[in-house]
Amino acid sequence: MKKVIQITTALLLLVVVSAFTNKTEKEKSGYKIGDVATDFKLENIDGKMVSLSDFEDAKGFIVTFTCNTCPYAVAYEDRIEALNKKYASKGYPVIAIMPNNTDVKPGDNIEAMQKRADQKGFTFPYLLDAGQDIYPQYGATKTPHIYILEKTKTGNIVKYIGAIDDNYQDASQVKSKYVEDAVDTLLTGREIKVKETKAIGCSIKV
């Protein structure tokens, strides 16, 4: 009887460890092209909670993990704002999420986010991933890191992952506008050619 209990306990432990490992690995790897992105509810700089489901008329989303303190993210601020102005009215709004640990980067706390958004005149939601739960689900590793989602009957499908374009240093020297090309393609109902690129930016602070 004692041996049976020991075996049962060992099996239960194995199941728990296996489930935890699978969950951890999935969170670490994040979404792949074609995956359904789970909705979230995060605090916006205006104090309101925002979810993707709030945007009933959206055809999809340009989800952008970004922050105030990373030089790469700062270099892309105007281009992120331009993306929202160009595509929000067409059904693809920008949803910006700040993923950093604000104890490590106090310059990214909600007050700093509010100030930066006001200075730059952001027209998109700027959300705080306070519990750092959302960016691991996506698999984001950089600021900025872009995920384009297409809204379908089965959920928000990941269609593009990576960089905004091919030149973070100088917008005038950009040759490939990855995000614009991807959204333009989705709006015409065609298949995106370049579905993944390497995100260039600062590592997310945990």
Side-chain angles (χ1 to χ4, degrees):
M1 184 67 181
K2 186 177 180 181
K3 188 173 182 181
V4 171
I5 293 174
Q6 289 176 335
I7 293 173
T8 303
T9 302
L11 287 171
L12 285 172
L13 183 62
L14 184 62
V15 169
V16 171
V17 170
S18 178
F20 177 78
T21 301
N22 289 338
K23 181 174 183 290
T24 303
E25 286 302 313
K26 186 175 181 180
E27 288 181 348
K28 185 179 179 181
S29 60
Y31 295 137
K32 301 292 188 296
I33 299 299
D35 285 351
V36 176
T38 305
D39 202 355
F40 49 73
K41 183 174 285 188
L42 297 174
E43 183 181 2
N44 192 15
I45 51 173
D46 61 4
K48 297 179 180 178
M49 302 303 289
V50 173
S51 299
L52 298 179
S53 58
D54 296 334
F55 298 80
E56 296 180 1
D57 297 329
K59 298 175 183 178
F61 304 93
I62 304 171
V63 177
T64 307
F65 291 91
T66 188
C67 68
N68 302 329
T69 57
C70 171
Y72 296 90
V74 171
Y76 271 115
E77 285 176 330
D78 291 341
R79 278 175 269 184
I80 292 171
E81 174 62 20
L83 286 172
N84 191 59
K85 286 182 176 177
K86 182 175 182 177
Y87 292 111
S89 61
K90 297 180 181 181
Y92 277 84
V94 166
I95 308 293
I97 300 175
M98 204 300 295
N100 285 336
N101 180 343
T102 56
D103 290 335
V104 177
K105 284 288 183 180
D108 286 324
N109 63 30
I110 194 74
E111 292 80 11
M113 290 169 62
Q114 292 167 342
K115 183 177 180 180
R116 190 63 181 171
D118 183 60
Q119 289 174 339
K120 298 297 294 185
F122 290 163
T123 58
F124 49 81
Y126 193 14
L127 314 178
L128 176 63
D129 187 6
Q132 294 194 296
D133 297 319
I134 304 306
Y135 87 80
Q137 290 181 19
Y138 276 73
T141 59
K142 304 290 184 183
T143 52
H145 206 149
I146 311 296
Y147 292 76
I148 297 177
L149 312 180
E150 181 181 33
K151 186 189 287 188
T152 70
K153 292 181 179 179
T154 57
N156 295 305
I157 309 298
V158 179
K159 290 291 185 174
Y160 171 83
I161 302 172
I164 293 172
D165 55 43
D166 65 353
N167 194 323
Y168 76 89
Q169 294 175 308
D170 189 347
S172 67
Q173 297 300 311
V174 170
K175 295 179 180 178
S176 296
K177 297 181 177 181
Y178 305 126
V179 170
E180 288 193 36
D181 290 345
V183 177
D184 286 341
T185 300
L186 289 173
L187 287 170
T188 60
R190 293 178 290 122
E191 189 74 14
I192 296 172
K193 291 183 179 180
V194 180
K195 299 178 181 180
E196 291 189 71
T197 59
K198 183 180 179 181
I200 304 296
C202 304
S203 62
I204 292 174
K205 305 303 184 288
V206 298

